[in-house]
Amino acid sequence: MGYMVDGVYHIGDDVTQTLPSGEWERSRSTVRNWLGQDGFDPEPGRYHLYAAWNCPWAHRVLLARALLGLEDAISVAYARPNRTEMGWVYDNDGPYADPLMGVANLPEVYAADPIGYTGRLTVPVLWDRTQARMVSNESADILRMLAAFGRGADLYPTDLAQKIDDWNALIYARVNNGVYRAGFASTQNAYAAAATEVFDTLDQIEAHLATHRWLCGDHFTEADLRLFPTLARFDVAYHYAFRCNLRRLMDYPRLWAYAREIYQMPGVAETVRFDIYKKGYFSASEKRNPLGIIPIGPAINWDVPHGRD
């Protein structure tokens, strides 16, 4: 991996993400323009998304793109499943090629922006063809701003905004990012604290689903969408690779049915790649998986009827 300073890429760690306590801390996104502002008009065909199948943050945006019917409005470049010292990389052609600029790696995308970017290089990135610059590299913002195209259901209705924000805050800290805090912890105490929070929160959601169809009541919202990428990766990756193994998703009857219902929504299954999740999370890592051996299981059928009708 690497980082960029004033638009120049450097191989190596940019900052120490492990705190003295052994806790792991995620870097913040810094490119945060908004559609409908600064000349970024929501025009179909104008924007291009840099994503990776592995990345749960990119998955949020791919889900919104599918559920809002924006596949024809926003093109996508999918990075190869495994990163190199150049970060996310692309082929010359095929499913892992960039159809817009033909870049070989993500640093070339960030370097093409005239801002002279400094920081970590992450996906997703929403790129504006017209201004030849990045709109945003913050997944939560990109997910929400796609509503500007005026298609599909409202994922962030005003009357549910506070509930959605509250669930988002809890789920991000203790589930979405919680599995990473467990997987990348460098001390027993830091790991135990993070993993315990993950399962305490899954227990809370399981209990909540006993009396609610969705997190915010009767309507599928952004909060449900943001939880799903972690659930989709849980049993095939986080349970093993990140040692979040107190329970499996399949051990939660309501949560497992809830996750299957989302998976079975039109367009959602096409955003999920279980085979790539395993390749990515079990790729060779000196600390987590030094031999890079990819497990053959688990065998899970997400097409089993969810029974929530």
Side-chain angles (χ1 to χ4, degrees):
M1 293 298 292
Y3 62 102
M4 188 166 273
V5 176
D6 296 331
V8 178
Y9 185 70
H10 301 267
I11 295 172
D13 294 330
D14 55 342
V15 293
T16 300
Q17 290 183 272
T18 302
L19 304 176
S21 62
E23 296 175 274
W24 183 81
E25 184 175 57
R26 183 174 297 279
S27 299
R28 297 180 182 275
S29 301
T30 57
V31 181
R32 304 187 70 171
N33 303 301
W34 202 267
L35 287 183
Q37 302 176 11
D38 303 318
F40 295 109
D41 298 323
E43 302 167 0
R46 175 171 171 174
Y47 298 97
H48 184 63
L49 184 67
Y50 288 92
W53 289 111
N54 315 51
C55 177
W57 319 110
H59 195 180
R60 294 175 173 181
V61 179
L62 294 173
L63 281 166
R65 175 177 174 266
L67 291 171
L68 297 177
L70 294 171
E71 292 96 332
D72 62 336
I74 302 172
S75 55
V76 182
Y78 296 99
R80 289 190 59 80
N82 295 329
R83 289 176 289 183
T84 72
E85 63 181 10
M86 297 303 295
W88 295 110
V89 296
Y90 299 85
D91 293 339
N92 292 327
D93 53 34
Y96 303 121
D98 171 28
L100 178 61
M101 295 189 286
V103 299
N105 52 62
L106 194 63
E108 291 184 12
V109 177
Y110 278 77
D113 191 304
I115 62 173
Y117 179 79
T118 294
R120 291 183 65 244
L121 284 70
T122 60
V123 291
V125 171
L126 187 63
W127 182 268
D128 178 16
R129 287 177 165 90
T130 300
Q131 297 192 49
R133 58 182 290 210
M134 293 184 284
V135 180
S136 177
N137 68 346
E138 170 50 57
S139 63
D141 291 356
I142 299 172
L143 159 60
R144 191 166 292 179
M145 71 175 71
L146 293 187
F149 285 91
R151 298 189 189 180
D154 185 0
L155 297 173
Y156 190 69
T158 302
D159 60 325
L160 296 176
Q162 188 59 59
K163 288 183 178 180
I164 294 170
D165 289 345
D166 290 344
W167 276 112
N168 284 348
L170 176 70
I171 289 168
Y172 171 78
R174 297 169 68 104
V175 180
N176 298 149
N177 200 45
V179 293
Y180 283 86
R181 290 171 48 235
F184 293 156
S186 61
T187 67
Q188 182 67 40
N189 287 341
Y191 156 72
T196 298
E197 284 190 353
V198 168
F199 288 99
D200 284 350
T201 309
L202 293 181
D203 291 345
Q204 178 181 342
I205 297 171
E206 174 76 4
H208 180 78
L209 292 175
T211 55
H212 299 78
R213 182 173 183 82
W214 303 106
L215 292 178
C216 296
D218 296 330
H219 302 284
F220 178 89
T221 69
E222 178 187 293
D224 302 291
L225 185 153
R226 286 177 47 152
L227 175 59
F228 180 76
T230 302
L231 301 182
R233 290 159 176 76
F234 204 90
D235 287 359
V236 298
Y238 301 142
H239 182 84
Y240 301 95
F242 282 4
R243 299 183 295 275
C244 291
N245 56 5
L246 186 63
R247 283 179 288 278
R248 303 168 303 170
L249 172 63
M250 296 175 66
D251 296 326
Y252 290 94
R254 299 184 191 96
L255 196 53
W256 173 221
Y258 162 92
R260 296 202 313 279
E261 181 170 9
I262 298 174
Y263 177 81
Q264 293 167 25
M265 289 179 174
V268 171
E270 288 74 21
T271 72
V272 177
R273 292 292 299 271
F274 298 117
D275 57 333
I276 290 180
Y277 301 161
K278 286 200 291 185
K279 290 178 183 177
Y281 286 100
F282 287 96
S283 60
S285 166
E286 182 178 344
K287 292 182 178 180
R288 291 184 293 106
N289 190 21
L291 297 179
I293 294 174
I294 301 171
I296 61 172
I300 304 171
N301 187 359
W302 280 74
D303 291 312
V304 172
H306 53 77
R308 301 183 82 228
D309 297 325

